[in-house]
Amino acid sequence: MNILVYLETSPNGLKRSSSEALTAARALAGGSHITGIMFNGTPAAFNAAGEYGLQRCLNINDKIIEQFSNGLAAIAISDAAHAIGAKIVILSATATGKDIAPRIAVRLQAGLLADCVELIPSGDSVEAVRPIYAGKALIRVKPETAVVVATLRPNVFTARKTERTTVAVEAFSFASDKDVRTSVVVSTSQNMGTIDVAEADVIVSGGRGLKGPENFHLIEELARSLGAAVGASRAVVDAGWRPHREQVGQTGKTVAPSMYVACGISGAVQHLAGMSTSKVIVAINKDKEAPIFKVADYGIVGDVFEVLPKLTSKISAVTGRH
Amino acid sequence: MNVLVCISQVPDTTTKITVSPDGKSMNPQGVKFILNPYDEFAIEEGLRIREKFGGTVTTLTVGGESAKEILRTALAMGSDTAAIIKDEERQDSYIVASSIADVARSISPDVILFGRQSIDFDSFAVPSMVAELLGWPNISMVSSLTIEDHSVTAERDIEGGKETIEATLPCVIAAQKGLNDPRYPKLPDIMKAKSKTISEHPKSSAVRRVNVLDMKLPDTKRLNKIFGESDQELDEVVRLLHEEAKII
């Protein structure tokens, strides 16, 4: 069973979600059956992929792909899947993965298993478990097609290193119709110096209990002590205290970090929908009846203005981060 | 400029989900259904494009008879016409996308707008699939959109930042929160919308590609250890995070 894994690069190598995808692929098939595909792959990225057991990687270094285009990326990945006879194509459910996986599925006449939280080997194919209704239910889905495209929710599959392998890199050129009509990325802007909640391993979120934007330094300080990203509830984003990119919940981002710390957040259903699959949940709220405590592993009933500074210094003492 | 806006009817965000006796779908009893929240941005953007360039806005949904309700909302907001593709199940995103692509081929819009995701199945699949089926470009998670002549410039949200994307028309756009402030329909328009005709289109004959085997509610067992705000208790929380949860 051949598997093609689309690998997203980062400035220092491989995105963590791609390491997770490689680990998940290894659980389905032996290393010799797994091929990676990268766009403009770097030595750092190939090395990083080798730490997760990748033996063979296709690399596309095409002028046409310099300005990333979702339509062309889909053509390239589909062509590569044909070339290696892939039964399963795996991507991460990132902004890019979610955008191009449906196109690849159409091109390969494949069933799309979107945003999976579990992959289950099934004969010559794979079944998956995926959350629906914002995580309020889980469905097990089975493709009815010979080829399957699956996207994996970031932070759910654990990335595990294995005996380092040397990655054989092969240049791959795809037969793109140069007239294909597509969109291209003309520029990218990053929010400097912040970790995005969608990619963070730990998130500290603040809600209305903070009483005003001027008090969010308490959240930022706790986040620093944990090496965490700062998140926010819808109420404080709508009030203009924090930017929308930090919003966790139904109209914001769905996150699944190793630890989620909710501070002064009551826990409306819409907020819980975005974070309830976090591995460990800590809640700080002065109202002991707040719904957030029902989903918390560790709840602290208290005033955030009292608790946050104390908790920050106690955690700093353990982590050494200030 | 002709715009096709595709919307869907979803359970209200506060709905408590229970499983149907068939073991693989949501029990619809007692559930309030609403217009998918992101689709409001898509409808609003469609109306703004018409206000700027002229043309018509057609709103389309895929669903059962009750989904006509959200089409009436779109009509009340200002959509010129409304259409439904009858598909009660609506579980297979490929069939939904194929049905929409069929309608798009017959009415040849310049822009197709969606909400960034439908909050029931959360697959983020249909807009990109429709674009691929039509051979069009698509831009997802769009928080800012400018159309000039036949070119589209859009900002889309990505992890940790934004991308600026260019494409040509015709194009598929999936709207993110922040794109605009959707208008509220006025009472007389709500009344008028009730008597407008809704046309019906056939469901695609495409074959199902993914089957649902079963549906479960998540196992939400949490430790539920509750502490006070004293120094000793906070020390205990930090100790547990370190030794029990092994997270710090």
Side-chain angles (χ1 to χ4, degrees), chain B residues 119-174:
Chain B
I119 63 160
D120 46 6
F121 297 110
D122 292 325
S123 293
F124 289 81
V126 174
S128 300
M129 279 188 178
V130 168
E132 185 65 39
L133 287 165
L134 295 171
W136 293 8
N138 78 291
I139 312 176
S140 53
M141 301 285 276
V142 171
S143 54
S144 156
L145 180 70
T146 314
I147 298 178
E148 259 164 25
D149 296 321
H150 270 75
S151 73
V152 177
T153 307
E155 258 182 21
R156 79 183 275 261
D157 289 359
I158 56 167
E159 290 86 6
K162 282 185 186 293
E163 274 178 352
T164 305
I165 311 250
E166 283 177 3
T168 51
L169 292 178
C171 181
V172 174
I173 300 288

Side-chain angles (χ1 to χ4, degrees), chain A residues 69-242:
Chain A
S69 152
N70 53 7
L72 288 179
I75 294 175
I77 295 170
S78 305
D79 283 2
H82 273 302
I84 68 153
K87 283 269 191 215
I88 305 176
V89 179
I90 297 179
L91 302 90
S92 305
T94 53
T96 305
K98 283 192 285 203
D99 196 27
I100 58 181
R103 282 182 172 268
I104 298 167
V106 169
R107 296 189 75 83
L108 298 175
Q109 302 187 343
L112 173 67
L113 311 180
D115 202 18
C116 304
V117 294
E118 192 183 343
L119 292 179
I120 309 155
S122 162
D124 201 17
S125 184
V126 68
E127 292 169 7
V129 176
R130 59 176 307 260
I132 57 171
Y133 304 115
K136 286 188 270 185
L138 294 164
I139 47 173
R140 192 159 54 99
V141 285
K142 178 182 185 290
E144 299 296 327
T145 49
V147 179
V148 186
V149 176
T151 60
L152 311 186
R153 178 175 286 197
N155 276 346
V156 172
F157 294 81
T158 312
R160 283 198 188 84
K161 289 188 180 173
T162 180
E163 208 168 308
R164 167 189 282 282
T165 52
T166 312
V167 184
V169 180
E170 294 168 34
F172 182 78
S173 49
F174 62 106
S176 98
D177 169 0
K178 306 283 177 191
D179 294 329
V180 71
R181 300 172 8 72
T182 118
S183 60
V184 293
V185 176
V186 290
S187 68
T188 303
S189 64
Q190 292 290 325
N191 310 311
M192 296 312 288
T194 56
I195 314 169
D196 192 83
V197 289
E199 293 189 313
D201 191 42
V202 179
I203 297 169
V204 180
S205 278
R208 231 189 318 231
L210 270 295
K211 296 211 160 77
E214 68 280 8
N215 297 322
F216 260 73
H217 66 94
L218 294 170
I219 298 293
E220 287 161 358
E221 284 152 14
L222 178 58
R224 255 200 312 279
S225 76
L226 288 163
V230 172
S233 71
R234 174 177 179 163
V236 307
V237 171
D238 283 355
W241 298 0
R242 302 299 293 184

